[in-house]
């Protein structure tokens, strides 16, 4: 039990540090809405996620992007998953037009649970590009801690996720995300995640404040 408390405190401390630094940077705000469907096409060991996402910016006034994604994971056991994913973005430019962007990645998810506490580490190596001859590789590692409130369908959580550039810029943290929110299980197949996300661009005096809503249907 003590180690889970330490994990939660570390994530909360990281979130608090981000809030403390917010006064020194230019800020924006937006809404991100994600809807996903999660079938298990090959039995209980495989899980897929098809998703559609909308993001706004400029203090909720403008569309930032649309994204279509697909992810597949193989569940080795309750502690380890290995998978891959692909995302297709339509980014809104300053003149109002949209331009395509692509991303693919392998990932590994490590999870553990003790009583009502659970924690996970999701690690991805992503290539994001507009042309195949111009790759941009970076690492993305999300540490998440959550607590299932007994007698309810609520599971509050906090998380932190740094982005580490690999190529063409080597060994530099580009940005970091901080999360605080709650998962709400409607039934055994449907759940909502509602949370606040702060995105800190480390080499640019800019912060993004996001309200995110996620819906997932599994079968």
């Amino acid at each position: 039990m003590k180690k889970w408390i330490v994990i939660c405190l570390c994530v909360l401390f990281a979130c608090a540090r981000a809030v403390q630094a917010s006064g020194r940077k230019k800020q924006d705000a937006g809404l991100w809405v994600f809807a996903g469907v999660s079938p298990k096409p090959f039995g209980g060991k495989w899980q897929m996620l098809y998703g559609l996402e909308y993001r706004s910016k400029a203090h909720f006034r403008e569309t930032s992007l649309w994204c279509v994604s697909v992810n597949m994971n193989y569940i080795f056991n309750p502690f380890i998953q290995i998978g891959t994913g692909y995302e297709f973005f339509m980014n809104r430019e300053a003149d109002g037009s949209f331009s395509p962007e692509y991303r693919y990645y392998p990932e590994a998810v490590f999870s553990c649970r003790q009583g009502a506490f659970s924690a996970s580490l999701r690690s991805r190596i992503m290539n994001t590009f507009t042309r195949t001859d111009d790759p941009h590789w970076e690492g993305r590692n999300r540490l998440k801690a959550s607590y299932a409130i007994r007698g309810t369908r609520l599971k509050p959580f906090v998380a932190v996720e740094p982005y580490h550039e690999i190529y063409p810029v080597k060994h530099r943290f580009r940005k970091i995300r901080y999360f605080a929110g709650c998962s709400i299980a409607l039934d055994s197949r449907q759940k909502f995640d509602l949370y606040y996300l702060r995105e800190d661009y480390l080499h640019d005096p800019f912060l993004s404040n996001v309200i995110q809503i996620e819906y997932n249907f599994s079968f």
Side-chain angles (χ1 to χ4, degrees):
M1 180 67 71
K2 289 182 179 180
K3 63 182 179 181
W4 300 114
I5 295 174
V6 171
I7 290 173
C8 293
L9 288 176
C10 288
V11 177
L12 285 170
F13 176 75
C15 294
R17 291 288 295 175
V19 173
Q20 184 180 23
S22 64
R24 301 190 295 269
K25 295 193 174 187
K26 180 182 177 181
Q27 300 192 43
D28 192 11
L31 174 69
W32 297 1
V33 180
F34 175 87
V37 178
S38 299
K40 293 185 177 180
F42 310 115
K45 287 291 186 179
W46 290 92
Q47 185 168 2
M48 297 194 69
L49 174 62
Y50 300 97
L52 174 65
E53 185 173 13
Y54 166 82
R55 297 182 185 180
S56 68
K57 61 180 181 178
H59 299 284
F60 307 98
R61 294 192 301 268
E62 297 180 7
T63 295
S64 175
L65 61 82
W66 289 90
C67 175
V68 177
S69 61
V70 59
N71 177 278
M72 175 178 280
N73 275 14
Y74 180 76
I75 304 170
F76 284 94
N77 54 51
F79 310 105
I80 301 175
Q81 299 180 32
I82 301 294
T84 186
Y86 172 80
E87 298 173 339
F88 171 71
F89 301 93
M90 288 298 292
N91 297 311
R92 188 176 186 274
E93 305 296 339
D95 61 0
S97 63
F98 286 84
S99 62
E101 187 177 50
Y102 314 89
R103 174 184 293 162
Y104 62 86
Y105 56 85
E107 73 173 11
V109 182
F110 306 94
S111 305
C112 48
R113 183 189 303 269
Q114 183 172 330
F117 283 96
S118 60
S120 65
L121 174 64
R122 187 187 68 187
S123 296
R124 291 177 175 176
I125 300 178
M126 308 183 304
N127 181 19
T128 305
F129 58 94
T130 55
R131 305 191 320 268
T132 55
D133 61 349
D134 185 24
H136 181 190
W137 289 94
E138 62 183 350
R140 176 177 173 179
N141 300 284
R142 187 191 69 186
L143 176 63
K144 181 179 179 180
S146 60
Y147 179 80
I149 300 176
R150 188 171 301 176
T152 74
R153 297 183 176 182
L154 305 178
K155 184 182 285 187
F157 63 84
V158 291
V160 60
E161 185 174 35
Y163 284 61
H164 181 254
E165 292 186 305
I166 300 173
Y167 179 87
V169 178
K170 297 181 179 180
H171 310 302
R172 186 182 77 164
F173 285 99
R174 181 169 68 90
K175 66 180 179 181
I176 188 166
R177 288 178 174 175
Y178 306 89
F179 307 76
C182 186
S183 291
I184 306 168
L186 302 180
D187 52 41
S188 60
R189 294 188 173 185
Q190 301 180 83
K191 75 178 182 103
F192 274 101
D193 285 359
L194 176 62
Y195 55 94
Y196 167 72
L197 182 157
R198 178 175 289 263
E199 190 171 52
D200 186 356
Y201 290 79
L202 301 177
H203 301 279
D204 188 358
F206 183 77
L207 278 171
S208 182
N209 300 283
V210 175
I211 296 173
Q212 182 150 1
I213 303 170
E214 294 188 6
Y215 168 78
N216 185 269
F217 177 76
S218 60
F219 60 94

